[in-house]
Amino acid sequence: MFEFKIIKKDKKTKIRAGVFTTPHGIIKTPMYVPVGTQASVKALTPNDLKEIGVQIFFSNTYHLHLRPGEKLINKFGGLGKFMGWNGPTMTDSGGYQIFSLGDRLEEKNPERTKLIKITNDGVKFWSHLDGSTHFFSPEDSIRIQHDLGADLIVAFDECLSYFLTEKEVEKVLPRIHNWEKRSLDYHKKHSKGKQFLYGVIQGAAFKRLRKISTDYITSLDFDGIAIGGVANAGESKKAIYDVINWVIPDLPEEKPRHLLGVGEVDDIFEIIERGIDTFDCVIPTRLGRTGFIFVSPKEGNLKNRFRIDIQKAKWASSKLPLDQNCNCYVCQNFTRAYVHHLFRTRELLAYRLASYHNVYFVINLSKKIRESILKDKFNVMKKEWLV
Ligand SMILES: [Zn+2]
């Protein structure tokens, strides 16, 4: 049902290209996984996703559990059927949202910190929607993910703040590992082979703890390996790349690797070069909705972070497409002036066109990088982009 095959490996770097077969279709890796938090990649239909070339998308267990509930989605045949998407899907464990929406990341805010309570058994939290009380144990998270029915699912863990000290992280790491082991045990007992479970390597920004976590997670029989807790590294890209550098050499070659929550243009080159197969990120859609449009070289570069602000007055009468090198539906049919106008008048179409282009841009970039790997031209491509 699941098969991950590496079809090309670089001798000097950790870079690799693969084919990941799932019950709902094939993912050609490395590949970007767009995020559809509420069972919807905001403003885009499943038909758009197909047209764009999306191979798999990512949804959030925390949100779907609160609304509409996993039981209801299960009655409709699972996440894909519920939303009219017949390709592969992935869900997270809910842990990230419980901890980030519970604002534990801001330890200094005592009011918000009260929104979650952790015991060895699991996490009690208050819904960010209506304040109702909920409890997630590792077993609950996996049971909910089984009901949601995504192809790829993730073990329950705790999202650690980068403000924590090494001692503090060391203290909670055994609990996280225990939760992941319990996730795996529950999954093995109940999954019926229909879903593929990722273990998550944690340890914040500490090399020693990342190594401990890597040793433990790889000693268990997870199907795939995810690296978590790097999206909290804030603006420090070095911190993200360091973590991947520490972890990757000790991972088994044959298991697919997912990086949780990273995906700016330069990151995509750097993480793929370090051996990541798939990565999810909200940036393309989130930026799109605020009028930031991805552009390729020469216009796009490290300095402008490969984006233009379409709401700026200078685009009001521009006849250019959003990106001059993009073949997407939006770039073939609309001008910057028109999209600028849609944003200025707050027309709903603005969000749709911007999201369409931005998701296409990152999917297409992933595909091109994959082609460059297959042709031994990754370094040439990377130089063209990240000059
Ligand atoms: Zn485009």
Side-chain angles (χ1 to χ4, degrees):
M1 237 175 194
F2 291 94
E3 189 190 26
F4 179 65
K5 242 194 206 159
I6 297 168
I7 58 165
K8 176 94 182 183
K9 251 191 320 197
D10 186 57
K11 288 193 183 80
K12 283 186 216 141
T13 63
K14 297 283 172 195
I15 205 164
R16 57 208 216 151
V19 177
F20 191 3
T21 306
T22 79
H24 289 93
I26 280 170
I27 307 154
K28 291 181 177 171
T29 64
M31 182 41 69
Y32 162 58
V33 184
V35 178
T37 297
Q38 313 274 12
S40 150
V41 178
K42 289 194 197 319
L44 300 175
T45 66
N47 197 42
D48 294 333
L49 300 180
K50 282 269 180 270
E51 231 175 64
I52 286 169
V54 169
Q55 295 174 18
I56 175 170
F57 83 91
F58 191 94
S59 208
N60 297 117
T61 291
Y62 168 91
H63 292 281
L64 296 178
H65 169 68
L66 294 181
R67 278 188 317 202
E70 65 278 5
K71 294 286 177 222
L72 184 132
I73 288 179
N74 190 265
K75 267 188 204 155
F76 282 80
L79 178 60
K81 284 224 168 99
F82 181 57
M83 62 174 284
W85 164 257
N86 59 14
T89 48
M90 180 169 190
T91 47
D92 60 7
S93 69
Y96 182 79
Q97 271 79 23
I98 291 174
F99 290 99
S100 57
L101 294 170
D103 249 347
R104 192 163 177 267
L105 299 179
E106 291 175 30
E107 299 278 355
K108 284 171 196 148
N109 184 342
E111 285 308 308
R112 300 300 300 275
T113 307
K114 282 182 202 151
L115 288 174
I116 54 169
K117 201 171 183 179
I118 310 168
T119 60
N120 284 336
D121 202 33
V123 191
K124 186 179 177 187
F125 61 97
W126 283 261
S127 159
H128 74 291
L129 297 171
D130 58 7
S132 58
T133 318
H134 298 261
F135 180 83
F136 263 35
S137 67
E139 292 79 10
D140 290 327
S141 166
I142 301 299
R143 178 183 50 74
I144 294 167
Q145 291 187 77
H146 284 171
D147 278 346
L148 293 172
D151 299 280
L152 313 183
I153 65 176
V154 176
F156 190 65
D157 66 351
E158 181 176 343
C159 167
L160 297 171
S161 162
Y162 264 62
F163 298 116
L164 295 177
T165 65
E166 186 165 359
K167 259 196 178 151
E168 287 168 321
V169 175
E170 189 165 21
K171 215 176 121 194
V172 296
L173 208 50
R175 181 174 65 212
I176 295 177
H177 289 159
N178 176 259
W179 285 358
E180 296 206 49
K181 171 80 167 64
R182 281 166 54 192
S183 299
L184 180 63
D185 291 345
Y186 184 92
H187 174 72
K188 286 199 154 179
K189 220 168 152 187
H190 300 278
S191 83
K192 300 176 192 122
K194 286 184 185 161
Q195 289 166 297
F196 188 95
L197 179 65
Y198 283 79
V200 186
I201 293 167
Q202 288 288 355
F206 306 106
K207 187 176 183 180
R208 188 175 61 87
L209 302 181
R210 284 283 178 180
K211 287 272 183 197
I212 291 172
S213 191
T214 304
D215 285 346
Y216 182 74
I217 296 300
T218 55
S219 76
L220 300 178
D221 194 16
F222 284 110
D223 302 310
I225 305 289
I227 304 174
V230 295
N232 303 331
E235 288 302 300
S236 166
K237 288 181 182 288
K238 188 182 171 295
I240 299 173
Y241 307 152
D242 277 350
V243 169
I244 304 171
N245 286 341
W246 299 332
V247 164
I248 290 279
D250 297 326
L251 297 186
E253 284 279 322
E254 70 281 5
K255 291 187 181 178
R257 304 152 177 176
H258 183 87
L259 182 65
L260 288 153
V262 176
E264 292 215 46
V265 171
D266 51 334
D267 296 334
I268 294 172
F269 284 94
E270 300 294 343
I271 65 178
I272 289 175
E273 188 171 21
R274 285 165 171 78
I276 296 295
D277 301 310
T278 51
F279 51 97
D280 66 277
C281 189
V282 295
I283 285 176
T285 40
R286 186 174 287 169
L287 281 181
R289 294 196 304 278
T290 54
F292 286 97
I293 304 296
F294 280 132
V295 287
S296 55
K298 304 291 189 209
E299 190 175 11
N301 52 50
L302 278 172
K303 213 174 149 211
N304 61 21
R305 300 173 87 180
F306 300 91
R307 53 179 93 148
I308 57 165
D309 180 356
I310 198 67
Q311 305 205 60
K312 284 212 165 133
K314 68 175 180 183
W315 306 124
S317 56
S318 169
K319 286 186 175 162
L320 291 172
L322 291 182
D323 178 29
Q324 297 175 68
N325 297 310
C326 182
N327 292 319
C328 87
Y329 163 72
V330 179
C331 292
Q332 298 305 306
N333 290 282
F334 305 99
T335 60
R336 288 185 186 180
Y338 179 62
V339 179
H340 170 90
H341 159 75
L342 293 177
F343 269 99
R344 284 293 179 98
T345 50
R346 297 184 187 277
E347 279 294 325
L348 295 178
L349 189 57
Y351 312 117
R352 180 165 157 72
L353 297 187
S355 299
Y356 191 109
H357 165 76
N358 276 4
V359 174
Y360 181 97
F361 185 94
V362 179
I363 293 283
N364 195 45
L365 175 61
S366 307
K367 281 186 184 166
K368 280 188 179 157
I369 290 177
R370 188 174 190 273
E371 277 165 32
S372 80
I373 297 169
L374 295 177
K375 290 179 187 156
D376 289 314
K377 291 264 174 17
F378 174 81
N379 281 331
V380 178
M381 186 179 169
K382 189 182 170 193
K383 266 187 203 141
E384 276 169 20
W385 280 70
L386 308 184
V387 275

